[in-house]
Amino acid sequence: MNTELTEARKPPPQPYDEQNEDVSPEVPRQSALSFPWVFLLFVAFRWLTLLLLRPGGFIRDWSDFDTFLGFASLSDYGLYPFVHYWLEWPPILPWVAVGAYQLSSQLPAWTDDPRLWFVLTLGSVYVLFEAGNLTLIYLISKRLYRTERRNIPVLRPVWFYALLFVPLYTMLGFFDAVALFFLLLALYLTLREQLVRSAIATGVGFMVKLIPLIFLPVAVRQLWSLAADRRAGLRDGMLYAVSVALAVLALAAPFLLRQPVWLLAMLRSLLGRSSWETIWAVMESYYGFGVVAGNRLDAAESAFAVHATTLPWLLIALLFFALYVIIWVQRADYAQPRNVVALTGFTVTFFLLYSKGYSPQFLIYLLPFIVLLFPNRRGVVYSLLLTVLNVLEQPIYFVLVPDAHQLLLGIVVARWLILGTLTLEFASVIWESTLRRLAPVRRYAPVALSALIGIGLLISLPEAAQSYVQRQLREEPAAPLIGYLSTQQARAQANLLVLSDHALLARFKPYLHDIYTVRVLGGANLPPEAPNRALEGALGEVTQLWFVTQQAGETSVSIPAELGNTLVRYDFVNNYQLLLLARRGGSAPPPLARFANGVDLIGSEVEKGADHSVEVTLYWWAVAPPAQSYTVFTHVLNETGHFIAGHDSFPGNGQTPTHTWRRGHVYADQHTVTLPLNLPYGRYIVVTGMYDYDLRRVQAYQSDGSPYRDSAIPIRELNLP
């Protein structure tokens, strides 16, 4: 058979139409969703999210809605923003918040959450502007991607933005979507050569939040590029700047005419606030979030910083300004919409690199330019990396592990590297031929940054987990009891811990599961007829066990016979009782020391602390409550017994003096011993004891009845520093 002839007679293949692809011959052709349908889905999703979800989820429900509600409620007393007090934001949104509050207060408050109507009223404004942001991204995308294939790839940036987490989270609690709208509007109007309207949008955006003003140099650069000569470019740029200033002045006029001091206080707060959540903040050893200090009711306020400023900010600002000007004057074809969008993205990124402060919601100003210029896998990687860093910063770091400073340092450095890479990406769009040599860097940057952040996360996880555990333990009502059970003295008595009720499991198991076998005696979760297989299996050949219960008063604890007899009982704060039970034989454990004043030292914990210190925790048992207040000394001695450093105070740093102790109760007593900075390396001994008002040490005895030398009990030897 002549296959060539046969193939030649075949009809030519039909062009592939991905818009009207059939699923099967029986299914009629259907066109892709057009923008109005995407817009409808977007608005419905955003508004229903506002109604039914809360920012922070299960971790912490907090947002700027709470802040805005606080100052908006002052209007009930006749106090209004920038008329009677200043704020760190320009006036427009605070006044919108006041209007939303007054409108929402016309409805009865919802019982479960009185904020409901205020959040829905003000939040609906945010939804409106978020819908505007999606529309502007679509319109700008049409300018960038003109194609005969309907809606492709014009809708790709639209879907990309709609699926991002950060814009949704920002809308649920912050007003940055409003400021972003005016930034995008100014850009879109510039692309349409409606420069006066663009300038007005920039000015209005500045009165919402200052960031939209960074579009001013972009517009001026485009005008200068398109002008017939430099004089015309300078004239057009000046006209644009004047139009922006007039728009700002028109909106600020009511406040300037009435009380200009409040607007001036706002401007001073922007210049005087300290750094936060940036590379500059960690260089100044600040690991907190952005806070503006000062009395909002004082128009002459000048103390806005929350930490000392140690960096030469004027020099830093001049260096960044000079670098931006050098890049700004480089020749480029700004008649192309893609280059104007890229210059805007570059300017936003460059500003974030320079900015003294950063808040997670600031990312919303950058993401539209990523989705517009890189609606591909590169853009997805950059967006996801920045989103992950945002979530790690807030709420993971600031809420769950605020002491894990290395985590914040890693987040800040990683974000700075990504922003630096994005400046290169945006610059490569504008000056592609000039920066062609850097193409390999751009090609592998997403993979390298992903690997770097992934490795950093793995390294920081142990510290973050430890920070979380320690933070929760500090806030745990049963912390003294948990601390005692963690001591070597308690662990030596038993390795089984039985809790009287299932409700206690969440308090004790997370901290003690790697030390003890933890079991539950009973609780509401266990049906009366059901056997307790876990406890039965754990008892086995156990001879002694610790038993924990919680009950008010001095009533005796009911112990099931199968658990054994009580050898000793310790009462702790918050009505916790700890009992050592013996199933066969056994005797009460001897204390570390018995004091002549009726106090026993039953446990201790000594650890190296930060900044040349030793952390000591002592557990005192008031067998017979002392009649007077005794001072506890905790000393560090060298191998020859000479004093090196110490800490003397009443127990609990004076909060629990011995004359207030109750019989049978155990008191956790923490001491921090600061060591000399020039301490030579060696073996040192930590000792403790008590003395009275006359500085006479209370005699302390060992378990065999022999006295301790100098009434000082050695509790730990360790190598220092």
Side-chain angles (χ1 to χ4, degrees):
M1 179 181 293
N2 189 341
T3 57
E4 292 184 3
L5 181 60
T6 304
E7 293 292 333
R9 290 176 179 173
K10 288 184 178 180
Q14 296 297 318
Y16 174 67
D17 186 356
E18 58 183 306
Q19 288 294 307
N20 299 308
E21 179 184 8
D22 288 341
V23 178
S24 68
E26 292 79 14
V27 178
R29 293 185 176 183
Q30 299 178 358
S31 61
L33 284 177
S34 59
F35 175 74
W37 294 104
V38 178
F39 178 85
L40 181 62
L41 288 171
F42 179 85
V43 173
F45 177 67
R46 286 300 201 261
W47 198 87
L48 290 174
T49 301
L50 176 70
L51 175 65
L52 299 175
L53 299 181
R54 297 182 179 185
F58 291 104
I59 298 177
R60 177 169 294 172
D61 177 21
W62 181 89
S63 68
D64 274 354
F65 281 126
D66 300 284
T67 304
F68 277 36
L69 179 60
F71 70 73
S73 63
L74 293 177
S75 61
D76 291 332
Y77 303 94
L79 301 176
Y80 296 94
F82 299 97
V83 177
H84 303 100
Y85 58 89
W86 62 270
L87 294 168
E88 52 266 45
W89 309 286
I92 290 183
L93 252 297
W95 272 88
V96 172
V98 170
Y101 171 76
Q102 289 297 333
L103 182 62
S104 63
S105 65
Q106 307 302 314
L107 292 172
W110 175 237
T111 307
D112 287 359
D113 193 335
R115 303 174 301 170
L116 173 65
W117 301 121
F118 174 76
V119 169
L120 287 182
T121 304
L122 184 58
S124 295
V125 176
Y126 296 172
V127 172
L128 178 66
F129 280 95
E130 255 292 80
N133 291 333
L134 188 77
T135 303
L136 287 168
I137 288 173
Y138 170 67
L139 295 174
I140 296 171
S141 179
K142 288 180 66 175
R143 292 266 167 180
L144 296 179
Y145 303 107
R146 297 181 183 275
T147 175
E148 295 179 357
R149 295 187 302 169
R150 185 176 53 188
N151 295 332
I152 293 181
V154 171
L155 275 182
R156 189 179 298 167
V158 174
W159 281 112
F160 193 169
Y161 183 83
L163 292 173
L164 289 174
F165 170 75
V166 171
L168 176 65
Y169 180 79
T170 301
M171 184 211 71
L172 287 177
F174 306 93
F175 67 91
D176 294 79
V178 182
L180 174 64
F181 172 82
F182 289 102
L183 175 61
L184 293 176
L185 180 61
L187 170 60
Y188 174 66
L189 293 173
T190 297
L191 295 178
R192 294 193 60 183
E193 299 182 3
Q194 298 179 2
L195 299 178
V196 174
R197 294 181 180 180
S198 172
I200 293 173
T202 302
V204 175
F206 174 79
M207 292 300 288
V208 173
K209 198 165 187 173
L210 304 188
I211 291 180
L213 188 64
I214 63 178
F215 184 72
L216 176 61
V218 177
V220 171
R221 185 64 184 90
Q222 190 211 30
L223 291 171
W224 189 30
S225 174
L226 299 181
D229 52 52
R230 290 189 175 183
R231 178 176 294 181
L234 181 61
R235 179 200 62 207
D236 293 343
M238 289 295 295
L239 287 174
Y240 190 94
V242 169
S243 299
V244 171
L246 289 175
V248 172
L249 187 61
L251 292 172
F255 308 101
L256 291 174
L257 293 174
R258 184 180 178 93
Q259 287 286 353
V261 292
W262 300 112
L263 278 178
L264 294 176
M266 182 268 292
L267 293 175
R268 289 200 309 273
S269 74
L270 296 174
L271 296 174
R273 69 183 303 177
S274 45
S275 58
W276 77 98
E277 300 176 55
T278 60
I279 196 76
W280 317 111
V282 297
M283 289 173 66
E284 293 183 323
S285 300
Y286 179 67
Y287 294 90
F289 51 84
V291 177
V292 178
N295 180 8
R296 269 63 173 175
L297 296 173
D298 182 6
E301 181 62 76
S302 60
F304 305 108
V306 295
H307 67 84
T309 298
T310 58
L311 295 176
W313 277 108
L314 180 60
L315 177 61
I316 293 172
L318 290 175
L319 289 175
F320 269 86
F321 177 76
L323 180 58
Y324 182 78
V325 170
I326 292 172
I327 298 172
W328 186 83
V329 298
Q330 301 302 309
R331 291 186 177 182
D333 183 10
Y334 290 112
Q336 298 296 323
R338 186 173 176 83
N339 288 346
V340 180
V341 175
L343 182 61
T344 309
F346 176 88
T347 304
V348 171
T349 311
F350 198 81
F351 170 78
L352 292 176
L353 283 171
Y354 155 74
S355 177
K356 183 185 290 188
Y358 176 89
S359 296
Q361 63 267 26
F362 288 6
L363 181 56
I364 196 176
Y365 299 104
L366 177 59
L367 289 175
F369 303 100
I370 295 177
V371 305
L372 283 167
L373 295 172
F374 312 112
N376 48 32
R377 287 174 292 183
R378 298 174 65 80
V380 170
V381 172
Y382 287 131
S383 300
L384 286 178
L385 289 178
L386 289 168
T387 300
V388 168
L389 294 177
N390 259 22
V391 174
L392 287 173
E393 188 170 13
Q394 170 66 28
I396 301 300
Y397 169 75
F398 281 115
V399 178
L400 295 181
V401 290
D403 297 327
H405 292 170
Q406 293 301 315
L407 176 61
L408 181 63
L409 175 62
I411 292 169
V412 167
V413 172
R415 181 169 55 236
W416 216 71
L417 290 174
I418 296 174
L419 292 176
T421 305
L422 283 171
T423 58
L424 176 61
E425 292 277 13
F426 290 128
S428 297
V429 173
I430 305 171
W431 301 285
E432 183 177 3
S433 58
T434 305
L435 300 177
R436 187 168 297 165
R437 293 181 179 179
L438 297 178
V441 177
R442 295 176 53 235
R443 181 182 308 160
Y444 296 109
V447 176
L449 289 170
S450 300
L452 179 65
I453 292 174
I455 294 172
L457 277 176
L458 291 176
I459 294 174
S460 63
L461 273 178
E463 184 204 1
Q466 183 65 20
S467 175
Y468 173 74
V469 170
Q470 293 301 320
R471 180 177 183 270
Q472 293 302 105
L473 183 58
R474 288 196 300 269
E475 299 177 359
E476 172 57 55
L481 174 50
I482 294 170
Y484 172 69
L485 285 171
S486 302
T487 64
Q488 181 181 355
Q489 293 77 27
R491 296 200 303 265
Q493 301 303 317
N495 56 18
L496 174 61
L497 175 64
V498 178
L499 309 174
S500 64
D501 191 271
H502 192 271
L504 299 176
L505 193 65
R507 295 195 178 279
F508 289 88
K509 186 175 181 178
Y511 308 103
L512 300 171
H513 66 89
D514 56 345
I515 301 176
Y516 297 94
T517 300
V518 183
R519 293 293 182 264
V520 179
L521 178 62
N525 293 353
L526 183 68
E529 67 279 4
N532 192 337
R533 301 295 188 194
L535 179 58
E536 293 172 0
L539 287 174
E541 299 299 321
V542 168
T543 58
Q544 290 190 170
L545 60 95
W546 287 112
F547 181 74
V548 175
T549 186
Q550 184 182 27
Q551 59 185 38
E554 303 291 337
T555 57
S556 59
V557 180
S558 177
I559 306 296
E562 64 269 20
L563 295 185
N565 301 315
T566 301
L567 297 179
V568 66
R569 166 179 163 172
Y570 301 128
D571 293 332
F572 284 80
V573 67
N574 295 316
N575 299 317
Y576 286 103
Q577 288 94 37
L578 175 66
L579 296 88
L580 181 62
L581 306 181
R583 303 185 69 207
R584 289 182 294 275
S587 59
L592 286 175
R594 286 192 172 94
F595 287 81
N597 60 0
V599 174
D600 285 2
L601 178 64
I602 61 172
S604 65
E605 196 75 35
V606 180
E607 296 178 345
K608 291 182 181 180
D611 301 326
H612 285 78
S613 66
V614 174
E615 301 291 338
V616 180
T617 305
L618 307 170
Y619 295 92
W620 305 103
W621 185 30
V623 180
Q628 64 169 290
S629 287
Y630 292 91
T631 300
V632 175
F633 66 86
T634 307
H635 294 169
V636 175
L637 312 178
N638 61 17
E639 290 185 299
T640 62
H642 288 87
F643 176 85
I644 300 298
H647 180 266
D648 294 21
S649 73
F650 292 136
N653 285 319
Q655 299 300 311
T656 54
T658 56
H659 73 275
T660 65
W661 287 2
R662 298 166 58 191
R663 184 184 303 274
H665 281 251
V666 175
Y667 296 89
D669 180 22
Q670 295 180 336
H671 297 262
T672 299
V673 181
T674 302
L675 302 173
L677 294 178
N678 58 350
L679 182 69
Y681 180 83
R683 193 73 174 170
Y684 295 87
I685 304 171
V686 181
V687 300
T688 189
M690 289 184 175
Y691 58 83
D692 60 18
Y693 286 128
D694 297 323
L695 304 182
R696 292 175 301 191
R697 290 189 177 182
V698 180
Q699 186 63 57
Y701 300 93
Q702 302 182 45
S703 58
D704 60 3
S706 59
Y708 279 102
R709 181 181 177 183
D710 297 329
S711 294
I713 300 93
I715 55 176
R716 177 76 185 275
E717 291 187 13
L718 68 167
N719 293 321
L720 295 174

